[in-house]
Amino acid sequence: MTAVSATDSILGNAAALACRECGAQYPIGPRYACDMCFGPLEVVYDYPNICRDTIESGPRSIWRYRALLPVPDDVLDTPNMEPGFTKLIRADNLARELGMRRLWVKDDTGNPTHSFKDRVVAVALAAARALGFRVLACPSTGNLANAVAAAAARAGIRSVVFIPADLEQQKIVTTAVYGGTVIAVDGTYDDVNRLATEIAGEEEDWAFVNVNVRPYYAEGSKTLGYEIAEQLGWRLPEQVVIPIASGSQLTKVDKAFTELGKLGLVDATPYRVYGAQAEGCSPVAQAFRAGLDVVRPVRPNTIAKSLAIGNPADGPYVLDVCRRTGGAVEAVSDEEVVDAMRLLARTEGIFGETAGGVTLGVLRKLLANGQLDPDAETVVLNTGDGLKTLDAVAPVVTPSATIPPSVEAFREVIEQLC
Ligand SMILES: *Cc1c(COP(=O)(O)O)cnc(C)c1O
Ligand SMILES: [Zn+2]
């Protein structure tokens, strides 16, 4: 491999792009696939000397880790959503109910548009501007559309987002309100993604965050891993359970943990990474169970729409990470997803979206089948807000009683209810 240097990089300490398949290197620029083998490209760094103090004295957002992200040095000076540094919540009630010893919920509902996608979009936007793009665009399963439309509004640039027409009403409204262009496409997410990829080839100054600037976008997920470690007091958890859509987030949390160890910011203690899918869209879980290296695409059919990618780009890399670290990939039914959403709300006062239900549901399943250690310190990710997927729980969550406005009527029902 050629030596790389970030001295002249317009994106901070990002030094080059490297092919994840053949290792070929390219200068930092608007490319995302390898010319030699069409493999996906990944950002490599000229890692700085960095200490905990420098990070801790930074802003309370993902930008405290900007030295480890592919963003220009002046990123703090441009208007952006300042996502990240969401709460890591010690979940003792939930742990007790599950028979676990030490459990934490990393709650990304605290981001500006209420999902983890604000992280990846902020990094993609910063890189895209530096690379000369003028429009922010994406194909989306919902949350990404929210994040792109809001971030573009804040930055004062145009956005164009493509969504499947059957998306949750809440996610359409919470995207369209920001005033960008929203195109609903009759088809699955995979159809939308294919269309966006074709358009990306024609519109030269459009940055499709998860397509043609994907290497930069993906790095934003590392901030979840950095925050978990910092918020644990600069330690790595022993187990972490992560939802899978394209699989990018999972692979980047692993990259973050590895980097922190190499940089000496944490002790490089072993950890196991577990991936979570809904049964109605579980191509990676199926490959894991079958012991395969390739992921066979499926047609999604699940209430967990934010995770409904039938042909996940990072699927094979997820299999690598979960196998290498001694973790697993599992899937749960839609019924188990709803159960887990209610469990999280009832025990910890956190209303997660269907993706959170998938992740907690899988944690529960892994405990039951002995693949997850109840005594090991565990972090489970809640990556989105239940208010955006109300339809999933609305049929099973109703008032306890409806009464006329009289104390007598209240006395009558309260006896039956308590
Ligand atoms: C997009 C998304 C994910 C995971 O995305 P990846 O494509 O796997 O990186 C997880 N949870 C929610 C709520 C999402 O919107
Ligand atoms: Zn290659």
Side-chain angles (χ1 to χ4, degrees):
M1 208 155 57
T2 27
V4 293
S5 157
T7 328
D8 303 320
S9 174
I10 54 167
L11 298 181
N13 294 311
L17 294 169
C19 174
R20 277 155 102 176
E21 291 300 319
C22 75
Q25 287 207 355
Y26 303 89
I28 290 293
R31 57 169 80 226
Y32 61 102
C34 178
D35 289 345
M36 316 286 178
C37 75
F38 303 110
L41 301 182
E42 159 133 13
V43 178
V44 294
Y45 295 84
D46 194 0
Y47 284 108
N49 271 325
I50 187 165
C51 59
R52 294 174 182 177
D53 284 352
T54 313
I55 293 172
E56 285 170 357
S57 63
R60 293 180 66 82
S61 72
I62 61 169
W63 303 131
R64 66 208 276 111
Y65 310 107
R66 65 191 177 282
L68 304 173
L69 296 170
V71 294
D73 295 330
D74 67 354
V75 68
L76 293 181
D77 307 332
T78 47
N80 72 88
M81 302 295 283
E82 298 172 52
F85 222 70
T86 58
K87 288 176 183 158
L88 182 70
I89 295 162
R90 172 113 184 201
D92 285 342
N93 298 333
L94 180 58
R96 204 173 309 118
E97 184 122 356
L98 295 170
M100 297 182 77
R101 199 137 55 182
R102 262 200 298 181
L103 178 61
W104 303 83
V105 177
K106 178 61 173 165
D107 187 18
D108 249 13
T109 60
N111 276 313
T113 69
H114 313 283
S115 88
F116 111 99
K117 289 295 198 306
D118 292 312
R119 300 173 181 275
V120 281
V121 168
V123 174
L125 172 59
R129 293 191 114 181
L131 295 172
F133 290 99
R134 289 170 195 283
V135 175
L136 207 60
C138 70
S140 171
T141 57
N143 285 318
L144 187 59
N146 287 181
V148 162
R154 175 76 54 89
I157 63 173
R158 179 168 179 222
S159 69
V160 183
V161 305
F162 298 83
I163 54 173
D166 72 347
L167 203 60
E168 295 99 338
Q169 172 75 2
Q170 289 92 351
K171 284 185 184 153
I172 298 177
V173 172
T174 51
T175 299
V177 73
Y178 296 110
T181 305
V182 180
I183 311 283
V185 180
D186 283 321
T188 65
Y189 172 77
D190 297 281
D191 297 324
V192 178
N193 188 38
R194 207 173 315 117
L195 173 65
T197 307
E198 277 175 45
I199 296 170
E202 291 171 9
E203 301 288 347
E204 285 197 346
D205 61 356
W206 290 21
F208 281 79
V209 294
N210 51 343
V211 181
N212 56 347
V213 290
R214 188 174 178 83
Y216 308 106
Y217 159 95
E219 293 292 290
S221 285
K222 291 195 304 184
T223 59
L224 267 170
Y226 299 148
E227 286 176 20
I228 289 168
E230 182 179 350
Q231 290 168 327
L232 285 174
W234 295 108
R235 285 186 305 111
L236 300 181
E238 294 172 273
Q239 307 180 127
V240 58
V241 191
I242 305 174
I244 299 167
S246 72
S248 174
Q249 177 185 135
L250 184 145
T251 64
K252 295 300 174 173
V253 170
D254 171 64
K255 184 175 181 182
F257 286 174
T258 307
E259 285 177 337
L260 292 177
K262 284 197 178 138
L263 291 166
L265 290 164
V266 300
D267 288 337
T269 50
Y271 56 87
R272 290 186 290 277
V273 180
Y274 298 86
Q277 295 201 295
E279 252 162 38
C281 183
S282 54
V284 189
Q286 287 170 28
F288 185 88
R289 282 186 210 133
L292 299 172
D293 293 330
V294 289
V295 174
R296 282 205 10 233
V298 301
R299 195 177 172 86
N301 179 17
T302 169
I303 56 168
K305 293 185 181 166
S306 58
L307 303 181
I309 299 184
N311 188 12
D314 292 275
Y317 304 111
V318 167
L319 293 170
D320 284 349
V321 169
C322 294
R323 288 182 177 134
R324 169 170 53 74
T325 62
V329 187
E330 256 300 351
V332 284
S333 69
D334 283 359
E335 207 180 334
E336 291 170 291
V337 171
V338 172
D339 269 3
M341 288 169 76
R342 296 176 74 185
L343 175 65
L344 181 62
R346 177 166 61 74
T347 55
E348 298 297 341
I350 301 170
F351 186 19
E353 74 151 78
T354 45
V358 166
T359 315
L360 181 56
V362 161
L363 178 148
R364 215 181 191 182
K365 187 164 179 178
L366 291 166
L367 277 174
N369 66 24
Q371 287 176 280
L372 201 93
D373 178 357
D375 293 324
E377 182 164 53
T378 305
V379 176
V380 61
L381 268 52
N382 179 41
T383 48
D385 195 321
L387 290 173
K388 288 198 226 176
T389 58
L390 282 178
D391 293 350
V393 283
V396 291
V397 182
T398 52
S400 308
T402 306
I403 59 166
S406 84
V407 173
E408 221 169 56
F410 167 70
R411 293 261 175 257
E412 216 168 277
V413 294
I414 200 71
E415 254 168 52
Q416 292 159 21
L417 290 171
C418 294

